[in-house]
Amino acid sequence: MSPALPSAIENRPLIEQILKQLGDTISNLPTKPGYCGLLSGLSGNLLFLYKLSVFNTKLVNEEVFDEKLEFLQQQLAAHIHYNDLSSGLSGQGWLLEYLNQAQGDNYDPEMCEEIDSILQESLSDTPWPGEIEMVLGLGGIAVYAARRLLKSPSGVLFETLVSHFEQAAIQITEHTLTWSQPANSVYRFNKDDKAIPEFNLGLAHGVPGIIAALLPALKIPALQQRTQSLLMQSCDWLMAQELDKHDFGSCFASSCNEQHISRLGWCYGDLTIALTLARVGRALELPSYLEKAKEISLHAAGRDRHKGMVNDAGLCHGSAGIALIFQLLHQQLNEPELLQTANKWLNVTLDDYREKGLKGFYMYSGVTKEHEQDTGFLMGYTGIGLCLLSALTGDTDWVDSLLMA
């Protein structure tokens, strides 16, 4: 566990007030079949309520939590044909495994074995015909597999995932490779000409997310050499896509098919590219990756709300999420300026609450161009609450759910 953010300690009474409001709001949400996902549904809500109860048991009604968890478990059978992280079995399985591991000596090693089998069966097609990113694709299954790997020595899921990523890779030069968005991907920017390779640079849907998804496979001896080769070749390719930050304002675009400034956030942009490079650099003991991560991070630290295109507080691309990522970057790189920047963005988040109450945490909709209430993990109250808890306690043990650990 890392130290709490100094600004969070200074503002502890206010943050506790916010957490109580968020906890009450999330606890009172109705449970609905079909809304059990991690990134926008019940599983994400349960993660926040669990972490809130660990922080202060008085803030969560245990009976309500248990009822919601039982409902989730009853709904699992309805998701066996959906393997994605967002709303399917990978995300729900990740939460169940996370809660199971939190039981310490009472951990049940058999609890998720059926989920393992279902996900393994879902990966049987070769070559892989579906999405390869994390929200709907292979990267999201890797999130679940990595959490399982903390307690289960079996690397069967990762063996299949690494093979799929190897087959999908495009060799650019003798020493670099990358991954194009599949022709039929819903996340392609260019849907008119599907034959043109498209190299997405976001953690959520692109190459950095695949790199982060592969990292845990280094722990499996039989996969270590293959994984290391994929990581080094793809990281070297990724760093070669860097823009002139003085001309564009950011170090990377959202896609290398176009050159433009990218936002500050988890989903796209410099922050999670830097975090991913830092994590690979630390895992493989490559100082050059750590130095590049530091350079990117410190440049991003100089961007404000306007330059970062920050319109709300959500985890995905809002002020609370940015505070969390700078907190994680400080953990990796130990640069004082990164801690100061995490404090800055936490203060932005708290100022929004001071001004508007919970309306200050409303999601900005790119469709309606209005701020709207959202209770989900990625865009709304659940994710903001988790970020505030991490700021106040230093506990970031849940961020592997978003490929940040």
Side-chain angles (χ1 to χ4, degrees):
M1 187 179 294
S2 63
L5 296 185
S7 183
I9 298 172
E10 294 169 9
N11 290 282
R12 185 183 184 102
L14 176 62
I15 293 176
E16 289 184 343
Q17 173 187 321
I18 296 170
L19 289 171
K20 184 179 187 312
Q21 278 190 272
L22 294 175
D24 290 344
T25 302
I26 299 301
S27 293
N28 288 323
L29 291 174
T31 51
K32 300 178 183 178
Y35 293 89
C36 293
L38 179 65
L39 300 189
S40 60
L42 177 59
S43 294
N45 298 156
L46 283 168
L47 174 62
F48 168 60
L49 292 176
Y50 172 74
K51 298 301 292 184
L52 185 60
S53 70
V54 171
F55 172 70
N56 184 342
T57 56
K58 296 178 180 179
L59 294 179
V60 178
N61 184 311
E62 185 177 353
E63 184 177 337
V64 170
F65 180 88
D66 289 344
E67 288 175 357
K68 289 179 179 290
L69 181 58
E70 183 179 356
F71 180 86
L72 174 69
Q73 292 171 311
Q74 291 172 348
Q75 293 295 311
L76 282 176
H79 294 87
I80 61 172
H81 300 298
Y82 303 93
N83 61 13
D84 62 277
L85 185 75
S86 178
S87 58
L89 206 55
S90 293
Q92 293 167 48
W94 180 93
L95 174 75
L96 294 175
E97 181 68 9
Y98 178 88
L99 295 176
N100 191 11
Q101 291 178 12
Q103 302 308 305
D105 292 341
N106 293 321
Y107 173 76
D108 179 2
E110 299 178 357
M111 180 175 159
C112 287
E113 286 183 350
E114 186 175 357
I115 295 177
D116 291 350
S117 298
I118 293 170
L119 290 176
Q120 181 63 31
E121 176 63 26
S122 77
L123 294 172
S124 60
D125 289 344
T126 302
W128 176 249
E131 300 280 6
I132 59 175
E133 48 77 72
M134 74 157 287
V135 175
L136 297 177
L138 294 176
I141 299 175
V143 168
Y144 167 80
R147 173 53 65 169
R148 283 287 279 154
L149 202 60
L150 297 178
K151 283 286 189 177
S152 171
S154 173
V156 174
L157 270 174
F158 264 116
E159 168 66 41
T160 305
L161 289 166
V162 169
S163 294
H164 282 322
F165 281 129
E166 286 174 331
Q167 291 167 15
I170 298 174
Q171 198 73 40
I172 302 298
T173 69
E174 183 181 356
H175 300 293
T176 62
L177 59 77
T178 189
W179 291 270
S180 172
Q181 209 68 293
N184 294 315
S185 171
V186 298
Y187 297 111
R188 278 187 70 92
F189 294 119
N190 180 3
K191 293 182 172 63
D192 295 327
D193 193 342
K194 297 179 179 181
I196 297 177
E198 182 175 290
F199 304 116
N200 188 298
L201 300 181
L203 185 75
H205 307 304
V207 175
I210 294 173
I211 293 170
L214 282 164
L215 250 176
L218 286 173
K219 301 173 185 175
I220 303 171
L223 298 177
Q224 185 175 15
Q225 187 172 357
R226 291 162 61 191
T227 303
Q228 180 170 329
S229 176
L230 289 172
L231 290 172
M232 293 183 65
Q233 291 192 71
S234 55
C235 282
D236 287 348
W237 175 88
L238 178 60
M239 288 188 289
Q241 310 314 306
E242 188 173 5
L243 304 171
D244 185 328
K245 55 184 174 289
H246 302 294
D247 289 343
F248 290 93
S250 65
C251 298
F252 293 87
S254 299
S255 164
C256 70
N257 296 65
E258 297 180 12
Q259 293 191 334
H260 57 262
I261 189 171
S262 59
R263 71 198 316 168
L264 288 179
W266 165 81
C267 50
Y268 284 95
D270 294 353
L271 291 181
T272 43
I273 289 177
L275 182 60
T276 301
L277 289 174
R279 293 179 58 221
V280 176
R282 189 169 297 281
L284 297 180
E285 300 181 350
L286 294 171
S288 61
Y289 287 16
L290 291 166
E291 284 302 314
K292 179 53 67 175
K294 185 183 300 185
E295 177 189 324
I296 297 166
S297 302
L298 292 175
H299 175 73
R303 297 172 69 182
D304 58 17
R305 197 169 210 163
H306 173 70
K307 292 178 181 177
M309 296 176 277
V310 181
N311 296 313
D312 54 24
L315 200 166
C316 185
H317 45 255
S319 57
I322 295 170
L324 172 69
I325 300 169
F326 273 110
Q327 184 179 3
L328 297 172
L329 284 166
H330 177 254
Q331 290 176 15
Q332 291 286 338
L333 300 170
N334 198 30
E335 279 290 317
E337 187 176 340
L338 300 178
L339 181 62
Q340 295 166 11
T341 306
N343 276 326
K344 177 185 79 173
W345 284 104
L346 176 61
N347 287 330
V348 168
T349 306
L350 297 178
D351 286 344
D352 284 345
Y353 177 83
R354 290 187 182 101
E355 181 182 348
K356 301 176 183 177
L358 286 188
K359 287 187 177 180
F361 294 164
Y362 277 18
M363 170 200 72
Y364 179 76
S365 170
V367 177
T368 66
K369 309 300 181 185
E370 300 286 343
H371 284 85
E372 304 169 358
Q373 186 182 50
D374 188 290
T375 57
F377 185 15
L378 271 187
M379 308 291 284
Y381 292 169
T382 290
I384 295 168
L386 285 164
C387 291
L388 293 176
L389 282 169
S390 290
L392 190 56
T393 65
D395 180 1
T396 59
D397 75 341
W398 54 273
V399 301
D400 60 299
S401 63
L402 292 175
L403 292 177
M404 293 194 290

